Amino acid sequence: MASSFRSAAAFRTLRTPSGDIPADSPRWNPQRPSAMPHHRYRPVEQRVALPLTDRTWPSRRLERAPLWVPVDLRDGNQALAEPMDTERKRRMFDLLVTMGFKEIEVGYPSASRTDFDFVRHLARSGAVPDDVTVSVFTAARRDLIDRTIASVEGLPRTLVHLYTATAPTWRDVVLSRSRAELHVLIRDAATYLMRRAEERPGADIRFEFSPEVFNLTEPDFVLDVCDSLTELWEASPDRPVVHNLPATVEIATPNVYADQIEYMDRHLARRESVILSVHPHNDRGTGVACAELAVLAGAQRVEGCLFGNGERTGNVDLVTLALNLYAQGVNPMIDFSDIDAVREVVEYCNRLPVHPRHPYGGDLVHTAFSGTHQDAIAKGMAHHAEQAAEKGLPVEDAPWNVPYLPIDPGDIGRTYEEVIRINSQSGKGGIAHLLRTHHGLDLPRTMRPDFSRAVQHVTDATGQELSHKELWELFRTTYVTPALDGPVTLASWSATEPAPGEHQLTCTLRIGGEERSCQGAGNGPLSALADALRGAGVTVDILNYAEHATGSGPGSPAVAYVEGRVDEVTCWGVGWDTSVLTASVHAVMSAVNRSGRVSS
């Protein structure tokens, strides 16, 4: 079978960093310079002015959710190899409404017939609730504005989102316009948009402007353009404009973006009539941090996509953002109580899988395989249940403080079944947790390492996980079955207590296919059994014993655990029966047979 790993030859183009260790490196850091041409790239401070020096956002706290605006149906859709059709768009739209989003960007109606038809579908179908604002996207061109306005006829509440790239590289390379020329273009388009909206006197149409690539645009230019549109569109506190400031291409650490947003928050004219919005992308992998710091810096509105689908490395992830707030005790204002249902719709509409380790929503995000993690989670969940009982609260209402789980998986519709899963990396705590949760077994702590070794042997050999059912089957064959299927078995037995504290046990032992009658006496049934076995040449000392019911009710099986020393070999045995005494006797016989000291 072909190996899935690349051969050494496949890496021959790599050049191991070489040269002198930088003079300012400490002795513990022997890294050497890479030959990659890093000199081709400039740091952010050489690309755009960063005027804020007296920042205040680092001392603020996130205490309420911003207005969330999903752009899955426009920006996210543009990033798909197979864009959504009307049926998939409608399914996504219905999901977003159900989750509680009140402003939804639904398309770029001048960009494609599909987008235009979907906006018309929403207008004609009555699918848009009265309290939901539909946002549509258009470039600053009159013909595109005309088609956009035509698409929204009949919608109850509309936000028309006008955009133009403003950064120097885009002005010079893409648009071939100076700052002044571009400002004129934007004002002309904004004026035309306003006039077209005024032609529909009964329509509720508001405006949004995005200086695309804001984070690489001169701050004074963005202020001039945004302030002029605030005035042109006659913004007021009851009819504010949205100025959306995108990190279209991430090029700096998130604190730089926060500084840029705070600068705009302080200097925008008629601030009470402006909704300051952000639209981070994820080129550096820090889109979520950019959005969170931007809200600290004064942003009131965040555009993004569920699970972060978007061009290049994606748009900012609204699921992660909202549930990050939730984990801090802040109401996210969006319903994620069934995260798997949300993910199912998103995967269907995007035809892209959500990564198993995606924050909050991935299949494995609440799953621990590591033994130390499993042990901490198992102890934490037991402690959580105890604390809830002490406070007289249902476990789902009690304050959450469980190691490795920032939120209760139950709050987003997950069960606890998949929190701990068993493979070769797992430990005794996780194994014990699954046996207790699913099969009512509470293994003695000193027994857990013994069974953990048995599990490790199987998972190392197979390289696969064990389900809780497979775990129980391994436990049963390892500890319970030997009592009934080994070199020494009880063909029959009975126990009596002729006097208080005096026990006798009479049995017929089958050893190597031959039956032998034995009797024993002791201060308990198990010591009497050990005495009877001694008479048959099997020496067993009982070192530890535990028992418990595996459920409630008179028909629930009991389980007994015995650690025995058989001819100097120490091992564990387990018995399982509706009778505690029978389970105990079987546990002793299991230990005897597992010791390997009696030949058949």
Side-chain angles (χ1 to χ4, degrees):
M1 184 176 69
S3 172
S4 61
F5 295 98
R6 296 173 67 187
S7 66
F11 293 98
R12 60 180 175 268
T13 59
L14 293 181
R15 291 170 289 180
T16 300
S18 59
D20 294 335
I21 298 173
D24 58 351
S25 290
R27 292 185 62 187
W28 48 262
N29 183 359
Q31 292 180 152
R32 297 174 183 273
S34 165
M36 296 175 67
H38 65 281
H39 59 274
R40 300 176 61 206
Y41 305 98
R42 291 180 294 155
V44 63
E45 61 271 14
Q46 294 180 16
R47 303 180 69 182
V48 64
L50 302 174
L52 188 70
T53 58
D54 56 340
R55 61 192 58 81
T56 62
W57 61 262
S59 61
R60 300 176 190 167
R61 295 174 56 196
L62 294 174
E63 297 178 332
R64 62 178 298 173
L67 175 65
W68 306 114
V69 181
V71 296
D72 300 77
L73 292 166
R74 193 277 299 176
D75 206 345
N77 189 51
Q78 289 179 286
L80 300 177
E82 185 181 339
M84 295 180 228
D85 56 19
T86 295
E87 184 273 330
R88 285 154 63 201
K89 275 179 166 278
R90 176 61 188 271
R91 187 167 178 184
M92 177 74 82
F93 179 81
D94 289 344
L95 170 70
L96 297 171
V97 169
T98 300
M99 293 175 70
F101 290 102
K102 296 303 179 185
E103 191 173 303
I104 302 169
E105 191 172 81
V106 300
Y108 194 161
S110 63
S112 72
R113 177 52 128 182
T114 302
D115 271 27
F116 183 89
D117 288 348
F118 179 67
V119 179
R120 296 308 305 139
H121 164 77
L122 292 179
R124 292 169 180 150
S125 65
V128 183
D130 289 340
D131 63 346
V132 171
T133 298
V134 165
S135 173
V136 286
F137 193 72
T138 182
R141 274 176 39 191
R142 292 194 174 199
D143 58 326
L144 304 183
I145 292 170
D146 286 340
R147 189 152 176 79
T148 302
I149 292 296
S151 73
V152 301
E153 175 71 32
L155 284 169
R157 295 159 60 97
T158 307
L159 183 73
V160 179
H161 183 173
L162 184 72
Y163 83 96
T164 300
T166 55
T169 300
W170 277 253
R171 293 197 308 259
D172 297 341
V173 175
V174 181
L175 302 173
S176 299
R177 293 177 186 263
S178 66
R179 279 177 45 155
E181 290 169 336
L182 185 60
H183 194 166
V184 169
L185 180 150
I186 293 169
R187 275 192 63 90
D188 285 349
T191 302
Y192 186 73
L193 172 60
M194 183 175 64
R195 298 290 175 253
R196 289 303 319 273
E198 289 172 348
E199 293 170 4
R200 301 175 182 272
D204 184 359
I205 300 177
R206 292 172 40 237
F207 306 119
E208 172 180 357
F209 173 66
S210 285
E212 190 179 353
V213 209
F214 153 79
N215 57 322
L216 276 171
T217 304
E218 306 92 331
D220 64 313
F221 182 48
V222 176
L223 275 173
D224 285 346
V225 173
C226 289
D227 287 347
S228 70
L229 297 192
T230 302
E231 180 181 11
L232 173 69
W233 285 336
E234 300 176 347
S236 63
D238 59 340
R239 286 191 64 78
V241 299
V242 177
H243 286 314
N244 184 56
L245 308 178
T248 308
V249 181
E250 270 199 310
I251 47 83
T253 51
N255 61 295
V256 172
Y257 188 52
D259 283 353
Q260 292 173 316
I261 297 301
E262 184 171 349
Y263 179 84
M264 297 297 292
D265 177 49
R266 291 189 196 177
H267 293 90
L268 279 168
R270 298 164 68 171
R271 183 65 182 86
E272 71 284 354
S273 300
V274 173
I275 298 171
L276 180 53
S277 175
V278 292
H279 182 118
H281 278 244
N282 198 43
D283 300 86
R284 302 179 74 252
T286 56
V288 166
C290 278
E292 290 179 328
L293 299 192
V295 173
L296 287 175
Q300 301 151 290
R301 180 180 181 273
V302 177
E303 296 183 352
C305 293
L306 297 178
F307 299 108
N309 171 59
E311 293 177 356
R312 305 182 308 279
T313 59
N315 285 26
V316 72
D317 179 354
L318 295 186
V319 173
T320 300
L321 282 170
L323 288 174
N324 280 354
L325 283 181
Y326 182 75
Q328 296 294 313
V330 177
N331 192 316
M333 311 301 283
I334 301 295
D335 183 14
F336 292 99
S337 60
D338 190 346
I339 194 70
D340 289 333
V342 173
R343 190 188 68 194
E344 178 184 348
V345 173
V346 172
E347 289 182 327
Y348 169 80
C349 294
N350 289 342
R351 297 186 177 171
L352 292 172
V354 171
H355 194 280
R357 291 291 184 185
H358 192 99
Y360 302 107
D363 267 339
L364 297 179
V365 73
H366 296 117
T367 301
F369 291 105
S370 162
T372 54
H373 291 191
Q374 291 176 345
D375 184 58
I377 290 171
K379 290 175 180 175
M381 293 179 71
H383 182 261
H384 174 71
E386 292 168 4
Q387 292 292 300
E390 289 179 8
K391 291 178 168 64
L393 295 171
V395 290
E396 63 270 17
D397 290 338
W400 183 255
N401 189 24
V402 173
Y404 296 111
L405 296 177
I407 66 171
D408 184 345
D411 288 352
I412 54 175
R414 291 287 179 83
T415 66
Y416 297 114
E417 182 169 342
E418 296 301 314
V419 169
I420 292 176
R421 288 164 57 176
I422 303 303
N423 65 12
S424 61
Q425 304 300 306
S426 305
K428 58 186 183 296
I431 293 166
H433 172 79
L434 288 187
L435 289 176
R436 180 174 62 250
T437 301
H438 296 285
H439 303 285
L441 296 175
D442 187 9
L443 271 61
R445 289 194 174 277
T446 50
M447 180 186 181
R448 294 177 187 181
D450 189 72
F451 184 48
S452 179
R453 286 189 288 271
V455 172
Q456 186 86 25
H457 178 76
V458 172
T459 53
D460 275 342
T462 64
Q464 297 179 352
E465 287 185 64
L466 291 181
S467 69
H468 69 84
K469 293 179 181 178
E470 292 168 327
L471 199 63
W472 156 245
E473 184 60 24
L474 178 61
F475 182 84
R476 187 186 67 80
T477 56
T478 302
Y479 295 105
V480 179
T481 300
L484 307 175
D485 185 18
V488 182
T489 58
L490 287 168
S492 63
W493 64 275
S494 62
T496 60
E497 188 177 9
E502 297 180 10
H503 294 261
Q504 292 184 350
L505 187 138
T506 302
C507 63
T508 299
L509 287 172
R510 186 178 289 116
I511 305 177
E514 297 182 2
E515 293 189 353
R516 179 172 177 176
S517 297
C518 299
Q519 286 188 327
N523 59 5
L526 298 190
S527 62
L529 174 60
D531 188 44
L533 289 167
R534 193 175 300 110
V538 179
T539 301
V540 55
D541 295 317
I542 297 173
L543 307 178
N544 285 298
Y545 173 81
E547 66 181 43
H548 64 80
T550 58
S552 58
S556 296
V559 63
Y561 311 89
V562 164
E563 184 182 23
R565 184 168 57 233
V566 183
D567 291 340
E568 305 307 319
V569 174
T570 300
C571 59
W572 283 91
V574 177
W576 177 279
D577 198 89
T578 53
S579 162
V580 174
L581 178 56
T582 300
S584 303
V585 169
H586 287 172
V588 173
M589 298 306 298
S590 170
V592 168
N593 285 321
R594 293 191 69 244
S595 71
R597 305 302 292 174
V598 182
S599 58
S600 57

